Amino acid sequence: MLENYIRKSVAVILFCAFAIPVFVLSGHCETEKKVAVCPFQMNAAQDLSFLQKGLFSMLSSRLADPGKVMILDRETIDAMLAKAQAAPETKGPLNASKAKLIGRALGVDYVLFGNVTMFGQSVSLDTTMVDVSANTPDLTFSRQAEQPGAVITELDLIATQINQEVFNRKPEVFVPQAAQQAQAPSGRPQSEYRDSYASPLTNHRVLFAANGEIIGMSCGDVDGDKKNEVVIVYPHAIEILKYTENGRLVPVKKIQDAKYIQIISVDVADINGNGMDEIFITRVHGDSGLAKSYVLENQGNAYKDISGNLPWYLRVVKANGKHPILYAQESGKKGPYNSSNVFRVNAAGGKFTPGEKLKVPAGFSVMSMTAVTDAAGTVSGRLFTEQDGRLTIFNTAGAVEWSGEKGYGGTRLYYEFKEIDHITHGTAEGKGVFFQPRNLVYDVGADGTMDVIAIKNTEAAGNFFGKIRNYKGAEVETLAWSEVGLSSDHAPRKMSGQVTDIAVGDYDNSSKQSLMVAFIKKYDNFSSQDTKSMIVAYDME
C-alpha cells in the first residue's frame, strides 16, 4: 500500500512539473555547452525506477537551450556508466572526482548527478553539478521535504538556479497586457488578446470562469423561455448558465449528480419534438464500467429525468448546426471503442428506443463522432477520433475512406477496465483507454464549404505516466475536406491549458452563431476547487 501511495503521489507531482516550463532569456554563450545528466541513485525500499526516468526527462527539458546548451542522450550516458563500473578509478557510486573523469570521457562540459532517499513519507534530495574543466566551483544542493512529490518542486528550483549561475539564463517574467474594455463591432466585450495571423475565428472574449473542471458544454433553450442557455457539466454536477447584458454567462441552476459516477459529456437538443430542448448526460459507473446515461427535461421549473438509466454512450450530431440527431453506442465492459452496436435513437411515446443502425469501422467511438456534410446538410460520411488521436472519416457503408496523423483530441476522461480476480473474486485494476473529445462540422467562414473543427491538446510528458495526464497547450483547428483528405486551412487558435469541449451556438440570443470553447486554464490533481476552467467565444466570420 505504501509503495502504491508513493508511486502515485510522486508520479502525479512529477507529471504536473512537465506542465510548468522554465522560460528563459538566453545569456551570451560563445560555444554550445554539453551536459551529462546522470541517472539519480534511488535509495528506497520501493522500486522508483519510474521516478528516476522522470527526473532525467524533467532536468533535460529544463536545462536544454538549442544552440547553447545540449543535453547528452540517456543511452550514451548509460553506456558510459556501465563501462565506468569496470574501471577501478570510477567504480562505485558517483562523486565529484569520478564525475569529472566520466565527463572527460564523454566530452561534456558539465556532469549533473545526485541521489534521492526516501524514509517513510520524507524525502532527501542531494544534487551536484560538476564543471569538468574545473573552471568554476561545484554546485551542490541538499534539500528535504515531508511529502514524496515535493522532490519535484525542489528539483525545479535547482534547475532554475543552475540556469542562472552556470548558463547566465534568467527566468522570463510574464507581464499580461492591460485589460481593454473596448467594444467589438458586434457590441460584445472585446478580449485583450488578439491573434496576429489570419483565422476565420475572431473577437476572442471570456464568457465564464469557474473553480472546478468543466468537462463538457452545449447550448440550447432548456427552460422553454425562447432564449438559449449554456449547459456545462463537471465530473459530478450539471450547471445551467444564462447570458447577461454585461457580456457574461451567469449560473441560474445547478444539479448535483452522484459522486460514485463520472459524467463524460453533455448535449442539448429537442429530440422528442415537444418544442423544448432536452439535456443528454452521458456518464459511466466507476465500479462496473457501464454507461448509465439519462435525459433531463424542464417540467414546471424543475429538471426531471425522463429516461431512467440508459446503457448507452450518447451524442447529438447536428449537420451544420441544424437538424439534430441523437446517436447512441452500446455500453459494455470492453470499453467505449469496442461495440459496433451504434444506432440512431428514436423518441416516441415518452421513451427513447434504438432505431436505425449505423455501420461503423473497428475501434469506433460515438463520443467524438460528427457528420461530414455539404452546405445543404447532406451527410456523405462521418468522422471520429481514434484512440491514438487520428481523425478518421468513414462512409455510410462503414468503410474507412481517410485517416490522418496522430495527435488530435486528448482528455483526462479515463475508462478503466475492470477485471475479475479469480483468487479473491474481487475486481482487479486493469488497463484502460481515454475518451476523445467532440469534433464539429460547420461552415466557419460562411463561404459555402464545410470545415471540421477539431481539438488538439498537447500532453506535457508525452503520455509517459499512463492514465495520469496534464496538458501544457491546446489548439482549436479548422480543417477543410478535399479529395486528398483533411488539411488545415487556417492557422489554429492556440491557448494554454486543455480544451475539453467545443460548441457552436447562439449563446447571447443575437441570431449569430459563435464558437464556444471550454478549457481548463489550471489543473490541480489534488483539489478540484483549485482547478480553474473558462469558457471563451469566437465570432465566426
Side-chain angles (χ1 to χ4, degrees):
M1 294 297 290
L2 177 60
E3 180 177 350
N4 288 338
Y5 170 78
I6 292 174
R7 176 179 290 271
K8 291 180 180 179
S9 177
V10 175
V12 169
I13 301 297
L14 175 61
F15 170 78
C16 294
F18 281 96
I20 311 174
V22 179
F23 296 99
V24 295
L25 295 174
S26 298
H28 296 288
C29 188
E30 294 181 357
T31 58
E32 184 180 55
K33 300 297 183 183
K34 296 181 180 179
V35 181
V37 179
C38 295
F40 276 45
Q41 181 177 331
M42 313 305 290
N43 304 313
Q46 302 80 22
D47 178 12
L48 297 180
S49 56
F50 75 100
L51 176 58
Q52 187 183 58
K53 293 178 181 178
L55 293 180
F56 174 85
S57 299
M58 175 186 165
L59 284 168
S60 298
S61 66
R62 297 299 193 269
L63 299 178
D65 188 11
K68 294 171 183 171
V69 179
M70 188 269 283
I71 308 300
L72 207 62
D73 65 275
R74 178 69 183 271
E75 291 76 13
T76 300
I77 295 171
D78 285 346
M80 180 56 70
L81 290 176
K83 291 180 180 179
Q85 291 303 307
E89 299 85 355
T90 52
K91 187 177 182 180
L94 274 180
N95 55 31
S97 60
K98 294 178 183 178
K100 289 178 182 178
L101 292 173
I102 292 172
R104 292 190 188 105
L106 287 168
V108 299
D109 299 284
Y110 298 93
V111 175
L112 178 63
F113 65 95
N115 60 76
V116 176
T117 303
M118 289 192 177
F119 36 94
Q121 295 301 307
S122 299
V123 184
S124 175
L125 173 66
D126 298 287
T127 308
T128 302
M129 178 80 161
V130 172
D131 184 347
V132 174
S133 63
N135 291 329
T136 59
D138 300 339
L139 286 179
T140 59
F141 309 90
S142 294
R143 302 176 187 271
Q144 290 188 349
E146 296 300 321
Q147 295 292 332
V151 65
I152 308 306
T153 303
E154 298 297 337
L155 206 62
D156 201 38
L157 295 173
I158 290 171
T160 300
Q161 191 169 345
I162 291 172
N163 279 325
Q164 290 176 326
E165 297 186 19
V166 179
F167 304 119
N168 191 29
R169 291 188 289 164
K170 298 179 179 180
E172 183 180 84
V173 179
F174 174 71
V175 181
Q177 296 175 324
Q180 301 174 5
Q181 296 300 323
Q183 292 293 312
S186 63
R188 298 161 171 169
Q190 181 174 342
S191 169
E192 63 269 25
Y193 301 103
R194 299 290 302 208
D195 291 339
S196 59
Y197 44 85
S199 173
L201 307 176
T202 62
N203 189 26
H204 167 192
R205 53 205 178 274
V206 177
L207 302 180
F208 183 72
N211 295 330
E213 183 182 2
I214 298 176
I215 59 174
M217 167 186 61
S218 193
C219 182
D221 177 16
V222 297
D223 62 4
D225 65 352
K226 307 304 179 184
K227 294 183 178 181
N228 288 331
E229 290 78 40
V230 175
V231 181
I232 61 175
V233 289
Y234 304 92
H236 308 291
I238 304 153
E239 193 163 39
I240 299 169
L241 314 175
K242 277 185 176 291
Y243 182 76
T244 62
E245 293 304 320
N246 67 355
R248 299 281 178 166
L249 295 169
V250 298
V252 294
K253 179 73 174 179
K254 193 164 189 176
I255 305 166
Q256 294 294 336
D257 203 44
K259 292 293 184 182
Y260 59 84
I261 205 161
Q262 167 75 53
I263 295 176
I264 299 298
S265 73
V266 61
D267 282 294
V268 169
D270 180 16
I271 299 299
N272 60 16
N274 66 353
M276 184 182 301
D277 288 337
E278 299 90 65
I279 301 172
F280 299 89
I281 302 295
T282 296
R283 56 184 193 161
V284 175
H285 194 286
D287 289 334
S288 68
L290 299 177
K292 292 185 178 295
S293 305
Y294 62 96
V295 184
L296 292 174
E297 188 174 69
N298 187 289
Q299 296 181 352
N301 295 322
Y303 291 89
K304 297 184 178 180
D305 182 351
I306 61 171
S307 65
N309 286 332
L310 300 174
W312 310 323
Y313 302 109
L314 303 175
R315 177 58 77 209
V316 171
V317 174
K318 299 179 182 180
N320 201 24
K322 304 174 183 177
H323 317 300
I325 299 175
L326 176 62
Y327 291 98
Q329 183 173 17
E330 185 180 48
S331 167
K333 293 185 178 182
K334 294 184 179 180
Y337 297 92
N338 184 265
S339 175
S340 60
N341 187 16
V342 182
F343 48 88
R344 179 172 179 169
V345 178
N346 295 326
K351 294 184 178 181
F352 294 89
T353 57
E356 178 188 5
K357 290 192 66 173
L358 267 65
K359 295 180 180 179
V360 300
F364 171 80
S365 170
V366 77
M367 301 310 299
S368 60
M369 184 184 80
T370 189
V372 179
T373 70
D374 57 23
T378 302
V379 176
S380 58
R382 294 177 175 85
L383 175 145
F384 75 104
T385 308
E386 296 188 24
Q387 293 182 55
D388 62 4
R390 298 177 190 272
L391 295 178
T392 298
I393 294 177
F394 62 97
N395 59 28
T396 54
V400 172
E401 292 191 341
W402 178 87
S403 184
E405 297 180 353
K406 300 177 183 179
Y408 286 88
T411 73
R412 290 187 180 89
L413 297 175
Y414 187 72
Y415 180 95
E416 187 169 79
F417 299 107
K418 298 297 179 180
E419 300 175 351
I420 300 298
D421 188 321
H422 295 289
I423 298 176
T424 65
H425 301 289
T427 57
E429 184 176 294
K431 295 182 179 180
V433 294
F434 286 87
F435 292 91
Q436 293 285 17
R438 185 197 316 261
N439 297 296
L440 297 175
V441 169
Y442 197 83
D443 183 3
V444 176
D447 57 2
T449 59
M450 304 304 294
D451 298 282
V452 172
I453 309 174
I455 295 168
K456 181 187 287 186
N457 289 311
T458 303
E459 209 279 318
N463 301 334
F464 180 80
F465 293 105
K467 70 177 182 180
I468 304 173
R469 289 189 175 182
N470 202 21
Y471 293 93
K472 63 182 180 181
E475 298 177 1
V476 177
E477 191 169 349
T478 58
L479 305 107
W481 169 251
S482 67
E483 303 82 25
V484 296
L486 286 177
S487 60
S488 181
D489 57 353
H490 297 94
R493 308 301 294 203
K494 297 184 178 182
M495 57 191 70
S496 61
Q498 174 205 353
V499 172
T500 56
D501 204 1
I502 49 179
V504 171
D506 179 16
Y507 70 88
D508 60 355
N509 301 288
S510 63
S511 299
K512 295 180 180 179
Q513 300 292 311
S514 299
L515 176 67
M516 293 175 286
V517 179
F519 75 101
I520 299 173
K521 183 71 173 177
K522 172 191 173 187
Y523 187 81
D524 191 296
N525 287 281
F526 301 104
S527 172
S528 61
Q529 286 304 302
D530 289 333
T531 294
K532 309 297 182 183
S533 298
M534 302 179 74
I535 297 175
V536 300
Y538 295 93
D539 292 334
M540 296 190 293
E541 296 182 352

